[in-house]
Amino acid sequence: MTKKSKKIALYILMFNMFIAMAGIGLVIPVMPQYLATFGVAGQALGFIIASFALGQFVFSPIAGDLSDSLGRKILIVIGLVVFSGSQLWFGMATHEWMLYVARFISGIGGAFLIPATMAFVADITTLEERGKGMGFLGASMSLGFMIGPALGGFLAKVSLTFPFYMAALVAILSAGISYIILPDVKKENTETTQEKKKRENMLVQMKNSVKTPYFMMLIIIFVFSFGIANFQTTFSLYVDHKYSYSPQDIAVILTVGGFIGVIVQTLVVDKLFKRYGEIKVILVNLVVAALSLSFFFLVDGFWLVLLVATIFSTATTLIRPAVNTVVSKLAGNEQGFAAGMNNAYMALGNMVGPALAGVFFDININSPFIIGSVILLVSFSITLAWVKKRKPII
């Protein structure tokens, strides 16, 4: 690929992730009121989000390997089409069980889209450019998640289901653009250990991931995802219950946090990686995220809630591309498998975290934030111990 075609590919990949995250963000402000129409609340929301993560967890390793053998493009297009269909189904649901199935299918779409996109970025960047590429990808995700809630709060004025239909529309449009414009990257493989991994099922692949040099990063991804899921799952419910925030209020808080995240990932993240290294960025921001989460339920008033939520969002914004970059650098020539494992462990954390967060929220609305903070500090301890033991040169 020429330098120009690589730039075009990166822009399309960023656009795809922007659309996917915007589609997810669109529905967040309306979820409390939408679920109320089914007569359910915190526990149901936790299990609905866990259904999405379960779909990701089951299909991510398979999708990562398929992206190595079939090519990144076809997996990305399929992922967007599946995601579009699931959003349409969610908006048309008439029974609670349909919500769970729709989100599970949405997770399958994410499983096809995210690992292939991450592997695509690894394919078209050098090791020196990898952090910048992952940072741009993360920035597009944050931008989508920033604009999505704002649009969702606005579209909810039409109807509670309208944001779901719009998410379906933009995802299918993105699939069409990707099919037409995105270059096809198909990795040439020989009969190696990686080929053997392709023929093995998901559980065996998870077992094989223990032997990889980036396994501890995968554990960190799991624990980290588990921790932040407590916030992501219960935030809208928390401010709805405690402060009676409207979908528009929730949209403003999420939008500001996402906007700061975009600025950081676009202008700062690559400089931080080069100056301090990805590991230090991970360690510092795990602590910042834990502290902000622990103080969240202590603050009162819209502006303080906005401030703490923005600090938490910014910290997690820096952690994600740092971890992704470390995994990619250590993965060598098995980028698809590594990206699939990355997404699988993240999905596993996102599956367990929301399910428990919803249960704990129904017991005490403050407990998910306390538990999430503890989990993030555990993640910090695991990372620090790994660094001291291995002293990895990343």
Side-chain angles (χ1 to χ4, degrees), residues 31 51 92 128 140 157 181 190 195 213 236 241 277 311 386:
M31 283 299 282
S51 298
M92 297 176 66
E128 291 74 21
S140 65
K157 293 181 178 180
I181 301 178
T190 57
E195 286 293 328
S236 59
H241 280 63
I311 293 173
W386 181 65

Side-chain angles (χ1 to χ4, degrees), residues 208-224 279 282 286 323 326-327 330 341-342 345 378-392 394:
N208 286 336
S209 69
V210 177
K211 304 173 185 178
T212 63
Y214 49 84
F215 173 66
M216 190 53 63
M217 280 289 109
L218 297 178
I219 295 297
I220 293 166
I221 290 168
F222 164 72
V223 179
F224 164 69
I279 296 297
I282 293 170
L286 280 172
V323 173
V326 173
V327 171
L330 295 175
M341 287 292 100
N342 185 326
Y345 278 83
V378 170
S379 185
F380 168 83
S381 300
I382 293 173
T383 308
L384 186 61
W386 181 65
V387 171
K388 289 183 177 180
K389 183 179 180 181
R390 295 291 297 275
K391 291 183 172 58
I394 306 299

Side-chain angles (χ1 to χ4, degrees), residues 29-362:
V30 304
M31 283 299 282
Q33 294 183 19
Y34 185 62
L35 291 179
T37 64
F38 292 87
V40 296
Q43 184 172 334
L45 179 57
F47 283 116
I48 287 172
I49 296 176
S51 298
F52 179 92
L54 178 61
Q56 276 192 304
F57 173 69
V58 173
F59 284 87
S60 285
I62 301 170
D65 286 341
L66 287 176
S67 76
D68 278 339
S69 59
L70 300 180
R72 319 299 190 199
K73 177 177 178 176
I74 187 172
L75 270 293
I76 290 171
V77 172
I78 291 173
L80 288 167
V81 171
V82 172
F83 182 79
S84 175
S86 68
Q87 292 290 84
L88 183 62
W89 186 350
F90 199 91
M92 297 176 66
T94 54
H95 297 84
E96 184 181 344
W97 68 267
M98 296 177 69
L99 301 177
Y100 298 110
V101 175
R103 293 303 288 175
F104 179 82
I105 295 174
S106 187
I108 297 175
F112 279 88
L113 174 64
I114 298 173
T117 301
M118 291 172 59
F120 204 131
V121 172
D123 290 339
I124 62 177
T125 57
T126 64
L127 285 176
E128 291 74 21
E129 300 169 335
R130 192 71 45 81
K132 186 176 183 179
M134 292 295 181
F136 280 158
L137 195 64
S140 65
M141 295 171 71
S142 296
L143 182 62
F145 206 75
M146 174 192 75
I147 293 178
L151 290 175
F154 174 76
L155 295 174
K157 293 181 178 180
V158 178
S159 74
L160 288 177
T161 56
F162 192 60
F164 300 101
Y165 300 145
M166 290 303 299
L169 176 62
V170 294
I172 200 68
L173 289 176
S174 183
I177 292 172
S178 297
Y179 181 78
I180 296 171
I181 301 178
L182 192 66
D184 197 7
V185 176
K186 189 172 181 179
K187 195 171 181 63
E188 298 295 332
N189 296 304
T190 57
E191 185 67 17
T192 61
T193 302
Q194 187 178 350
E195 286 293 328
K196 183 178 179 181
K197 288 173 183 170
K198 293 178 192 300
R199 296 192 297 267
E200 293 168 339
N201 62 44
M202 185 266 293
L203 293 178
V204 176
Q205 290 191 38
M206 295 286 288
K207 181 180 178 181
N208 286 336
S209 69
V210 177
K211 304 173 185 178
T212 63
Y214 49 84
F215 173 66
M216 190 53 63
M217 280 289 109
L218 297 178
I219 295 297
I220 293 166
I221 290 168
F222 164 72
V223 179
F224 164 69
S225 300
F226 181 97
I228 65 172
N230 286 272
F231 175 83
Q232 294 174 331
T233 302
T234 56
F235 171 74
S236 59
L237 288 172
Y238 178 83
V239 294
D240 176 65
H241 280 63
K242 188 172 182 178
Y243 305 112
S244 298
Y245 284 180
S246 67
Q248 290 73 34
D249 293 327
I250 298 172
V252 168
I253 293 174
L254 295 177
T255 299
V256 171
F259 179 72
I260 299 298
V262 170
I263 294 176
V264 168
Q265 288 185 317
T266 304
L267 303 177
V268 179
V269 69
D270 188 51
K271 295 178 181 179
L272 288 176
F273 289 174
K274 289 180 178 179
R275 182 168 182 176
Y276 300 107
E278 290 85 358
I279 296 297
K280 287 184 179 179
V281 171
I282 293 170
L283 289 170
V284 170
N285 284 284
L286 280 172
V287 174
V288 173
L291 291 176
S292 60
L293 200 58
S294 65
F295 285 115
F296 188 82
F297 69 93
L298 298 175
V299 300
D300 194 11
F302 180 83
W303 294 108
L304 285 177
V305 171
L306 174 64
L307 175 62
V308 175
T310 300
I311 293 173
F312 177 81
S313 176
T314 303
T316 55
T317 290
L318 287 168
I319 294 171
R320 288 190 185 279
V323 173
N324 292 342
T325 302
V326 173
V327 171
S328 180
K329 285 183 176 181
L330 295 175
N333 65 347
E334 50 179 40
Q335 294 295 330
F337 176 78
M341 287 292 100
N342 185 326
N343 205 42
Y345 278 83
M346 178 182 67
L348 188 60
N350 286 338
M351 179 172 56
V352 178
L356 292 178
V359 173
F360 288 130
F361 180 86
D362 286 342

